[in-house]
Amino acid sequence: MNIDEFSQKPVYLASKSDVIQDTSRIRGRMTIREIYNTHVKEEFPASQTVQALESVTSKRMTDILSEAPFSGSVTEQTTRIPVLTHGNGLHQENDRLKTKLSVTNKQRINGHRRSCSETPYGRSMQKKSEMDIQHDKKWESRFYESFEDPPIWTSILTYISFLILILVGHMREFLKKLGIGRVKNISEPNIPGFVTLYQTWESFYHWYIFRRGKDTLYRAINSVPGAEMDVMDRVTDDHYWTFRYTGTSTRVINFGSYNYLGFSQNTGPCAEAVEKSVNELGNAICASRQELGYLQIHKELDDLVADYLGVEAAITVPMGFATNSMNLPALVEKGCLILSDELNHASLILGCRLSGAQIKTFKHNCMEDLEEKLKEAIIDKQPRTHRKWKKILIVVEGIYSMEGSIVKLPDVIRLKKKYKAYVYLDEAHSIGAIGPHGKGVVDYFGMDPKDIDIMMGTFTKSFGAVGGYIGGSKRLINHLRLRSHSAIYSSTMAPSIVQQVISSMNIILGRDNSRDGIKRINQLKWNTRYFRRRLQEMGFIVYGNKDSPVVPMVTFSPAKVVYFSRYCLEHGIGVTVAAFPAVPLEKSRIRFCLSASHTKEMLDKVLEMTDKLGDTLSLKLSRKEPAEYGDSEDQDEEK
């Protein structure tokens, strides 16, 4: 009998008593080969079934546990058995194998056994599951992000412009070898027996492509980076190889700083409290946390951060980048698996690499890809040894600063609970910036903070200071206090910085007996939605979530990015730009960083200038209709 004939012949699975008898084997690693030897071999000759079952012996009993027979109504259910084609090594599916399962359709879909679903516990769990599904649908209906692809001709022209710059650079390199022209870059020493130091693609790109727009970066300021700031003027006499300052400055509207809540200021209650702390405690501690560098004010900050996040404990770190790069190696090690979003920050990437754990990336905010990676990790286990992973850690960010995207946290938590993994959440850009109470993406979705195992954030954005924190259980924080390099080898935060964070955080919590904090949060939300909506109405391609204060506007061509930045600076607007290799080659962009300190007049001025440049540079390429943000529903809920 061939496989096709076998697939049409019904197979009656074992009875309930047989399954109970084999429970110990099912909970182990019972393969389909063992099932075949136990139940199927008695009814069918080996020649009829061995070919169909030989290819799937690696499948575990856990994969078919939902199809296991239990007493109840018998329904005819169709399943598929994958067959390995030996010729090309590809998996394909044979005809449907009809089996009779002792389980109803409703029980199979809900994943409950009949005996469990009839109990009060089973009914309560089913009701809770239905409520969770309704909650998921609610946040999904209000969750809006846009990532529009450019027209094909725009991408082609962008690639052609880069090719022209590369050809010109190679011509300059050829003339340099002939001794023609002035040589501004570093020359290769050409020492026999030594590898080259400078003749790499990175050096070539920096010299002949990146240099042409270097004046749009590394701009120095000489004022407080609030809603407005003073940018120091500089000129170049050798085509952007070097710069010299003129001694003058230009007043611009600040759309380049992560001053989300407007606490970067030198006046007000925060500045007064900081001045008082300097007079009392000095400028620095000059010692690490474990060597007499932990003052009462540091303990006050740790307790306040834990209270702010809604977790048991927290630890603070004097540098935001080191909060990720130095703490991740203390949490995972060799034998652990890290599932990292492909757009995670460089500090997360460095920390993952230093940990020694195996790293796999999943597509940005793609829960289907993340779940597939989780399934593969649980089924395949560690390579070569096939041992279980010690830990599986999912690493995501709250807001991705280059894309303006917000993580789908409810789905991440759902997968974390389903596959018994851990979640590391980086809220560097989301803490203080989103959520009805300014408590980040957890507050934004209305999630329980205890569902996140490791909560990380920085004080460099919303709080107008420096440093970062890790929040979680007391056991986790005590472990980091003893094992983290950031707690052992680095000096603690300066008292003035600590006081700045304490003062701004108390204002956000309303503990200063005012509504200044909630006003800043609501103002930032209004500014964000107003600015994004207007850009989309003008026809620009805007990336990210409707509530992200980072607003990337795609310009595609690097030449247009440079021109946009220079023109804005001449007319009193300071913006940041991003081009390759920070972003994909054909997706250069302008990043507008909004703040609660921006007024509507400031936003309108920038929008007017952007509208004019959009017509000049042909940047209005969006083919989508502006989205409805649902502001009326949000206002009703807030009331």
Side-chain angles (χ1 to χ4, degrees), residues 147-269:
F147 295 98
E148 187 177 354
D149 292 328
I152 186 64
W153 60 268
T154 305
S155 300
I156 293 174
L157 291 177
T158 302
Y159 279 104
I160 291 175
S161 65
F162 269 102
L163 288 175
I164 293 174
L165 292 174
I166 292 172
L167 290 175
V168 172
H170 282 294
M171 291 177 60
R172 295 287 301 273
E173 282 289 303
F174 177 74
L175 294 176
K176 184 180 71 173
K177 292 180 180 179
L178 297 178
I180 302 174
R182 300 176 61 186
V183 179
K184 289 290 184 179
N185 55 350
I186 301 175
S187 299
E188 187 66 42
N190 293 324
I191 303 175
F194 285 79
V195 297
T196 58
L197 292 177
Y198 311 114
Q199 296 299 328
T200 62
W201 164 248
E202 289 80 4
S203 300
F204 179 89
Y205 180 85
H206 187 273
W207 294 335
Y208 299 111
I209 300 177
F210 176 81
R211 172 184 57 83
R212 296 176 179 272
K214 194 164 64 173
D215 62 310
T216 62
L217 303 172
Y218 311 130
R219 288 171 176 166
I221 63 174
N222 57 356
S223 68
V224 177
E228 295 181 330
M229 62 182 179
D230 296 329
V231 179
M232 299 176 64
D233 298 328
R234 57 181 182 175
V235 295
T236 178
D237 301 320
D238 50 6
H239 303 287
Y240 308 110
W241 285 101
T242 59
F243 295 90
R244 58 181 177 86
Y245 290 99
T246 61
T248 60
S249 61
T250 301
R251 190 72 174 175
V252 299
I253 302 175
N254 182 12
F255 273 78
S257 299
Y258 301 129
N259 184 28
Y260 295 139
L261 294 181
F263 282 114
S264 178
Q265 52 192 14
N266 56 359
T267 58

Side-chain angles (χ1 to χ4, degrees), residues 37-102:
N37 291 333
T38 305
H39 303 293
V40 182
K41 189 174 181 180
E42 298 178 358
E43 297 189 27
F44 300 97
S47 59
Q48 299 176 1
T49 58
V50 67
Q51 187 176 359
L53 296 175
E54 182 66 27
S55 60
V56 292
T57 54
S58 61
K59 185 175 181 180
R60 297 292 181 257
M61 189 60 188
T62 53
D63 299 332
I64 62 171
L65 192 56
S66 60
E67 301 173 1
F70 293 94
S71 59
S73 61
V74 178
T75 59
E76 188 168 327
Q77 183 68 27
T78 60
T79 58
R80 292 176 182 265
I81 291 184
V83 177
L84 182 64
T85 302
H86 298 284
N88 54 13
L90 299 176
H91 286 278
Q92 62 183 10
E93 294 180 349
N94 65 348
D95 295 334
R96 293 190 174 183
L97 173 64
K98 296 184 178 180
T99 60
K100 291 189 175 181
L101 303 181
S102 301

Side-chain angles (χ1 to χ4, degrees), residues 20 69 102 198 219 244 254 296 326 330 351 472 582 591 619 625:
I20 296 175
S102 301
Y198 311 114
R219 288 171 176 166
R244 58 181 177 86
N254 182 12
Q296 179 62 32
M326 294 291 101
R591 283 199 307 168
L619 298 178
E625 292 293 330

Side-chain angles (χ1 to χ4, degrees), residues 128 132 394 411-421 423 447-448 451:
K128 183 179 183 298
D132 291 341
I394 303 172
D411 280 346
V412 174
I413 299 302
R414 174 179 59 84
L415 294 178
K416 171 241 179 182
K417 293 180 177 179
K418 182 177 180 180
Y419 295 99
K420 303 298 185 291
V423 172
M447 305 293 293
D448 186 356
D451 288 337

